[in-house]
Amino acid sequence: MKKLDEEHERLLSELDRRKMKRRKDSDEFKVVEGVIDPPTLKALYKLLNKGAISALHGVISTGKEANVYRGEDGDGNSVAVKIYRVSTAETDFMLEYIVGDPRFKRVKKRSRALIPQWALKEYKNLTRYHDAGVRVPKPLDIHRNVLVMEFIGDPKSSISAPMIKNVEVPSPVKTFNQLLRMITIGYTKANLVHADLSEYNILWFKGPVIIDVSQAVLKTHDNAKRYLIRDIQNITSFFRKLGVESENPEKIAEHILASGEE
């Protein structure tokens, strides 16, 4: 119990230290204040007790939906800790992607009730993608609005991987084809369509890694085809800027849809 109490104190002091940063760090101060509320702190404690995390460090990325922090597991290895906003979350757009999903039959429309379901949806989608062989962060654990995932980046320096839009892609044609294969495998083996794929949610670490899959829908979703075409349009548009010529996005989508029916 003494060791557990010490771990609690260490995590709490780290969180408190971040909340009490001087005004020169006011942006991070506001971010942490807006994400780590008392219920979230309880969720972090739960994951601490399970050994999923032992420390929480700097912000990797911030967004309207969630912030991602670098953390450590019980063995000191880097992990990514995604904390979904609860009190300040915008949830209206989420309903389009979760209502009708047979995995979530009782969708809560109030933000405080919907956010844990949204986080669980990302965990389930990551599991599907990972098990199918698509390069995504491996999901490690979840409790309510806190998701623990594999850290994508240099494990020695703990520097997180950049977005693909911020790197010089070494072989654009090869990478474009890799992503099309990932989309195809996601559709045919994971039975998912990302539904928001673009250069903003693809990391680059020894190749492309797809992230932010909370909105991904089952291929049986009424709008799955439309989302698939939109994903491909985004990818072809980005790679066109890198000199990659490709088929019409609708035709590429038709090939993928046909392969999913085999």
Side-chain angles (χ1 to χ4, degrees), residues 100-102 187 191-193 217-225:
D101 189 322
Y187 185 82
N191 296 320
L192 290 173
V193 174
V217 299
L218 296 174
K219 68 180 185 181
T220 53
H221 191 283
D222 289 344
N223 294 321
K225 180 178 179 179

Side-chain angles (χ1 to χ4, degrees), residues 153-167:
D154 186 345
K156 293 183 179 179
S157 65
S158 298
I159 296 175
S160 58
M163 292 181 189
I164 195 171
K165 73 182 187 71
N166 294 329
V167 301

